[in-house]
Amino acid sequence: MRDTHRSIVRVIARRPARALTCAALAVAFAATPVLSPVSAYAVSAETQAELDAATSQVEDSAAAYDEAASKLEDLQKQIDENTAEIARLEQEIPEQQAAASAAMRDMYKYRQGSNPLVDIMVGSESMSDFITTCAYMDQIQSSNTEAIESLNEMQAELEKRKTELDAQKQQLEQEKQAAADALAEAQALRSAAQAQAEAEAAAELAAAANDTSAGEGSGVSGDNPYSSADQGGQTASTVVNSGAVNWNMSRDDFVNEWTGRIDAYLAGSPLAGYGRTFAEAAWTYGVDPRWSPAIACIESTKGLYCANTNNAWGWTAVGGGFVSFGSWEEGIYEHVSYLRDMYGTTLTPAAAQRYCPPTWQDWYNKVGNEMNSI
């Protein structure tokens, strides 16, 4: 129900229906039941800075790794083509050598006869035929010799090329390994920062255990009639299973794992089959891959009841009404990046207070329960 993507312009253009304001979010969540208008989420500024730096480092390292892997793949194709050409020549050269040898043997036997010129002349119908026959025999021998020389030159060139390609491959393999090491280091840093953020979120949940008050801002009934988080007077109590997300995996392993899990969760809904989009967006922005799908469940029954086109998250537009998207892919990427910029990397009580102030505890518990089920 909510506002924007990454830029300040978009923050101004779109606002969350239940939020107090779209002011810049900079300070850590205070241990008070009412959320400060400038609070983003519970994660401290120091931890958030570490998350930002680690996420950026992961993105850069992943891009470098993908580039090195792509170059290595292209180079391997060249090596395979070069190897196949060498094999073809190695098969062709003996055939040419055999043909040349046979021609040379015939020529030698002919010349070693009692009088090969006389034989040729006798076998010729005319002097012109005699001259043509001699020239033809010389041409055959010369042609075979030239063919062998040409093939040998081509083979030598290909062998030289093979040596060069092998050297390039060795260098690219080193670059790929260096990029993989850098990516692993960045992932470890992000994982540590994520763990710290989750610890701070757990502390926030404990501090809000007895808070039944509503936050400020508009509520479900006045904004998104399809949201199922409409129960007031509750307390936030759901503990989100943070250990379910392993940020030390490779991008491909992460995306593949969460694609399957999210697809299973969304099966039978309008969002069915978009697990990979959610997973890729989550990896790109360093956001818990369960969060956006879970919000979609609470706000629109997984895209079944949307207030506007491809808006499964109850996302309202400035001036009233709801934001629409050109496709589910666009909406998913917009929402995941919006969560990252405005609320952090995963569900917290502070995020719930901003996303759904009147019934934030119910929203927090229901979204958290959905996340745990993915």
Side-chain angles (χ1 to χ4, degrees):
M1 356 184 70
R2 337 297 162 183
D3 49 17
T4 125
H5 188 35
R6 309 193 72 168
S7 68
I8 296 299
V9 173
R10 284 182 171 178
V11 171
I12 294 174
R14 298 174 181 172
R15 61 177 178 79
R18 301 172 182 173
L20 291 173
T21 179
C22 289
L25 310 176
V27 299
F29 178 73
T32 56
V34 179
L35 183 67
S36 166
V38 295
S39 294
Y41 32 86
V43 179
S44 67
E46 180 180 358
T47 299
Q48 188 56 52
E50 293 175 355
L51 272 172
D52 291 341
T55 298
S56 177
Q57 188 174 342
V58 167
E59 292 174 0
D60 292 344
S61 300
Y65 177 83
D66 289 343
E67 182 179 3
S70 178
K71 287 182 178 179
L72 191 58
E73 183 178 352
D74 291 341
L75 182 63
Q76 187 59 53
K77 291 179 181 178
Q78 296 179 45
I79 291 174
D80 292 341
E81 291 172 358
N82 195 73
T83 302
E85 184 64 11
I86 290 175
R88 185 187 69 79
L89 288 175
E90 288 176 343
Q91 183 177 2
E92 185 175 340
I93 286 174
E95 296 175 358
Q96 289 289 340
Q97 288 175 333
S101 296
M104 291 174 69
R105 283 195 303 270
D106 291 342
M107 181 66 73
Y108 176 79
K109 290 178 181 178
Y110 207 58
R111 287 177 176 174
Q112 293 301 312
S114 59
N115 196 333
L117 291 177
V118 173
D119 291 341
I120 296 175
M121 185 176 294
V122 170
S124 302
E125 296 181 357
S126 65
M127 179 60 69
S128 176
D129 186 32
F130 167 73
I131 295 173
T132 300
T133 301
C134 290
Y136 180 67
M137 294 178 68
D138 287 339
Q139 184 178 359
I140 290 177
Q141 182 177 352
S142 176
S143 177
N144 282 319
T145 301
E146 290 175 0
I148 292 174
E149 290 176 351
S150 176
L151 289 170
N152 285 332
E153 290 175 0
M154 290 177 62
Q155 185 179 32
E157 182 63 29
L158 289 170
E159 291 292 350
K160 178 182 177 183
R161 178 64 174 157
K162 180 178 184 298
T163 301
E164 294 173 351
L165 290 174
D166 288 343
Q168 291 180 34
K169 181 179 181 180
Q170 184 177 4
Q171 180 180 353
L172 283 177
E173 286 177 338
Q174 292 174 351
E175 292 178 5
K176 181 182 177 182
Q177 185 57 53
D181 293 342
L183 178 58
E185 180 181 354
Q187 286 177 299
L189 291 173
R190 182 167 72 175
S191 182
Q194 290 281 359
Q196 178 61 29
E198 290 164 357
E200 293 175 9
E204 178 195 358
L205 177 61
N210 298 318
D211 184 6
T212 59
S213 62
E216 298 181 19
S218 55
V220 173
S221 59
D223 296 300
N224 180 19
Y226 303 117
S227 175
S228 63
D230 56 0
Q231 302 298 311
Q234 300 187 38
T235 59
S237 58
T238 298
V239 177
V240 178
N241 180 13
S242 59
V245 183
N246 179 9
W247 291 101
N248 284 322
M249 303 172 72
S250 69
R251 179 188 184 281
D252 288 346
D253 289 344
F254 180 95
V255 170
N256 288 336
E257 175 181 339
W258 287 103
T259 293
R261 294 174 66 164
I262 297 172
D263 276 342
Y265 174 72
L266 297 173
S269 76
L271 284 170
Y274 287 93
R276 178 165 292 274
T277 305
F278 278 108
E280 290 176 344
W283 173 270
T284 298
Y285 298 110
V287 171
D288 191 315
R290 303 167 294 174
W291 198 10
S292 184
I295 293 175
C297 178
I298 300 306
E299 295 293 341
S300 68
T301 313
K302 302 178 182 177
L304 184 61
Y305 305 108
C306 297
N308 210 339
T309 307
N310 298 321
N311 181 354
W313 307 276
W315 201 341
T316 57
V318 64
F322 293 83
V323 175
S324 65
F325 299 101
S327 65
W328 281 125
E329 290 88 349
E330 178 188 349
I332 290 167
Y333 267 92
E334 287 274 354
H335 188 251
V336 174
S337 66
Y338 158 73
L339 289 176
R340 169 65 183 77
D341 290 341
M342 303 298 287
Y343 299 105
T345 59
T346 191
L347 175 67
T348 64
Q353 284 185 318
R354 293 198 70 251
Y355 208 105
C356 180
T359 56
W360 67 268
Q361 299 94 335
D362 188 32
W363 191 89
Y364 175 88
N365 289 334
K366 287 179 177 176
V367 172
N369 284 330
E370 291 301 318
M371 291 174 67
N372 285 337
S373 72
I374 299 176

